[in-house]
Amino acid sequence: MHMLSLGILAHVDAGKTTLTERLLHTAGVTEELGSVDDGSTRTDTLALERQRGITIRSAVVSFPLDGVTVNLIDTPGHPDFIAEVERVLGVLDGAVLVVSAVEGVQAQTRILMRTLRRLRIPTLVFVNKIDRRGARDEAVVAQLARRLAVPLVPMGRATALGTRAARFLPGLGPAALDALADHDDALLAAYLDGGVPEHRLRAALAEQTRRAVVHPVYFGSAATGAGVPDLIAGIERLLPAADGDAAGPLSASVFKVERGPAGEKIAYARVFSGTVGVRDRVRFGDGHGVGEAGGPVGTGPGARAAAARRVPGRVPGGRPEGLVTGLSVFEDGTDLRRDRAGAGRIVKVWGLAGIRVGDALGLPGRAYEHHFAPPTLETVVVPGPGTDRRSLHAALTQLAEQDPLIDVRHDEARQQTSVSLYGEVQKEVIQATLADEYGLDVTFRETTVICVERLTGTGAAVEFNKKDDNPFLATVGLRVEPAAPGAGVGFRLEVELGSMPYAFFKAVEDTVRASLGQGLHGWRIPDCTVTMTHSGYSPRQSHAHQGFDKSMSSTGQDFRGLTPLVLTEALRRAGTLVHEPMHRFRLEAPADTLGALLPVLAGLGAVPQRTGTEGTLAVLEGAVPAARVHGVEQRLPGLTRGEGELETAFDHYAPVVRGPVPERARTDHNPLSRKEYLLNVTGRVTG
């Protein structure tokens, strides 16, 4: 039987989880319909999800159709948990984007559709809640076409809108031919020659949907079941089944990691080719390392994403290897233990202790890339009475394993730990998770914005072994150059790779990448090229009949100790500029409130870039500093009689132009001060 990995995506409260439950019930997997309100859904298994009625972690459930087994992945709709959605996108064969017939297109709807289009994931649109008061059909389709700017094919129409009797009447109208002919010259010619038969139209629909050229639109109600059988038929007939050779080499991608009752790691992976089985020894990780002399490391998008996740000790040919001790696959609404699973399957794997989200099992396949913006907020986690700081740090580290974008920063000097966030709801979820799962009581300090630093020029520095006041047995020379936003960190060699042991080059590269987490003002430097221009070491020395003499021979620690000093000096000579996150915004408000609204927006740093009208509404689009978004949200109701609607999403980083330059407290040994750094690292100051 063919396999299909299907994602259900939506803005929060569009009815995504209810639709998942309805699909399972209609397919015969569940006897009773799960309810979000009652906390009885199959996919929202966390206690916190059931308490709050929202999806926090992605969940997998399987159900059979006539010709295909669907591995359905329910994803969070709240923007604070967009990282969960990101990890799922790379393993999908197709998607269903759920839109409310009452609220229509919302901020998350636009973000998700843009990403689905960019990744060319075949997508069906399900306009849900046609039974609710205020439901619309044609108006929502028009809004989808206008706000999403994508080709849509309505698969029918809704009747008795806004009542429990609302139904979906299938049928392709003239709009279908218009949309399909735009991408098929032969179809257009056939239409001009006298008409297109129904079977030809449906064949073109299936072909263009599978290529993600057009998007069929269904109407229905997950609550009543209206339109769901038609959607199921569309999933089976219009979306592509998984491909991949089960007899080929193993290649799988890990999109989720959780811990079992005993604390063991469990990896969720999509198998793209080959077969994985219990008692198999499999390699995992990214497998990237230092490049050849003069060659870049991490110059392509996939390589950059992998480089950003690199862990010291993972070297070419030395990817970690683990023994698979347990395996399960998803079938008939549950996961079942199996000895082996092949291409197309989504599996749960036990036994790989060092596994991380984004790792490849077997041969590296699809590169793990970031499709959405990184978190732009952070907060300090404050332990409550009786909460042990070490236990708190260990718990936060485990949470970061499940969500890598929760960047845990520990400041040893100040004895405080901070985490990065997408929003306030995520903060509440972290607090509840620490209390419920780890028994730790915490509060948070005020949320602040995460800035970045960008190089303003090129700088170079070098320190030589056994010269001047260099206390380390190492020679390191580095040149730093700016790179385009989004380019990531590239590491190059201008010295011969064989000029010293590989481990020393690896120590320099790993230290460079770690040190770029804190620039001259304490913020991460995300995009630059670092070139190693000088290298040197003291060969292994020993006395007669004695062992290795560490005082006369270079070690990796010498290179790890010297590199931050050299890099910091190169950064000083290049110069850096602090950039703050900027959100693009779209604001709809009554046209007669524009006069009061514009001065307030200007005072909050918002810059309208486009102004238009839609009926009686004024539409403003522009950019606003992330730190000011909350202020706009607070002022908007009073300025627009409660009728204003604001959509915001991260767009780019821009130089800080208002107020003092933001500084971030350092958590390293402070290489900005040579004296302080050497005291911290070596316990003495030279020179």
Side-chain angles (χ1 to χ4, degrees), residues 394-416:
L396 288 170
T397 301
Q398 285 194 11
L399 291 183
E401 290 175 353
Q402 301 171 27
D403 185 350
L405 293 182
I406 297 179
D407 180 27
V408 178
R409 297 178 76 246
H410 184 64
D411 186 340
E412 190 66 37
R414 297 171 180 78
Q415 284 296 297
Q416 64 185 31

Side-chain angles (χ1 to χ4, degrees), residues 5 30 38 47 62 72 156-157 170 179 193 221 231 289 306 342 358 467 545 561 588 625 628:
S5 291
T30 57
D38 296 340
S62 178
L72 188 150
R157 61 187 181 86
D193 286 342
S221 168
L231 176 64
K467 288 189 177 181
H545 310 298
E588 294 183 0
R628 306 270 198 275

Side-chain angles (χ1 to χ4, degrees), residues 573-586:
R573 295 175 182 180
T576 68
L577 187 62
V578 176
H579 287 56
E580 64 180 332
M582 300 291 292
H583 282 216
R584 61 179 176 273
F585 72 85
R586 187 180 193 277

Side-chain angles (χ1 to χ4, degrees), residues 355-613:
I355 200 74
R356 299 167 304 165
V357 169
D359 275 352
L361 303 182
L363 295 178
R366 303 184 187 185
Y368 175 72
E369 298 184 44
H370 294 306
H371 308 301
F372 299 107
T376 58
L377 304 172
E378 70 177 350
T379 184
V380 173
V381 186
V382 181
T387 295
D388 178 67
R389 291 181 181 273
R390 293 182 181 274
S391 299
L392 174 58
H393 186 260
L396 288 170
T397 301
Q398 285 194 11
L399 291 183
E401 290 175 353
Q402 301 171 27
D403 185 350
L405 293 182
I406 297 179
D407 180 27
V408 178
R409 297 178 76 246
H410 184 64
D411 186 340
E412 190 66 37
R414 297 171 180 78
Q415 284 296 297
Q416 64 185 31
T417 302
S418 61
V419 294
S420 55
L421 302 166
Y422 278 101
E424 294 300 311
V425 173
Q426 189 179 15
K427 182 194 291 186
E428 296 172 17
V429 168
I430 291 174
Q431 183 179 39
T433 302
L434 289 172
D436 296 344
E437 297 185 14
Y438 297 92
L440 300 175
D441 175 32
V442 302
T443 57
F444 299 92
R445 293 186 186 167
E446 183 181 0
T447 302
T448 57
V449 169
I450 300 175
C451 297
V452 300
E453 291 182 51
R454 298 201 185 280
L455 298 180
T456 57
T458 297
V462 60
E463 295 211 21
F464 293 97
N465 186 7
K466 300 178 181 177
K467 288 189 177 181
D468 301 323
D469 60 347
N470 177 9
F472 302 102
L473 295 178
T475 293
V476 174
L478 299 171
R479 182 175 67 248
V480 296
E481 302 166 273
V489 174
F491 185 81
R492 303 171 183 266
L493 299 180
E494 278 186 1
V495 294
E496 291 294 332
L497 188 59
S499 62
M500 65 181 187
Y502 172 81
F504 295 162
F505 286 112
K506 191 68 170 62
V508 173
E509 183 192 0
D510 288 341
T511 306
V512 163
R513 293 186 182 279
S515 299
L516 287 172
Q518 301 182 73
L520 302 182
H521 298 277
W523 303 104
R524 182 173 64 96
I525 301 176
D527 305 301
C528 67
T529 299
V530 181
T531 303
M532 190 169 184
T533 58
H534 297 75
S535 65
Y537 74 109
S538 294
R540 183 182 180 92
Q541 300 289 327
S542 59
H543 300 291
H545 310 298
Q546 295 182 13
F548 169 61
D549 188 345
K550 184 177 179 180
S551 67
M552 300 170 60
S553 311
S554 296
T555 66
Q557 188 58 45
D558 287 301
F559 288 89
R560 286 188 288 271
L562 181 59
T563 295
L565 286 175
V566 176
L567 179 65
T568 299
E569 184 58 31
L571 292 175
R572 271 203 185 100
R573 295 175 182 180
T576 68
L577 187 62
V578 176
H579 287 56
E580 64 180 332
M582 300 291 292
H583 282 216
R584 61 179 176 273
F585 72 85
R586 187 180 193 277
L587 193 156
E588 294 183 0
D592 62 353
T593 65
L594 207 56
L597 196 56
L598 286 173
V600 174
L601 291 176
L604 291 170
V607 181
Q609 296 164 342
R610 190 182 76 83
T611 304
T613 58

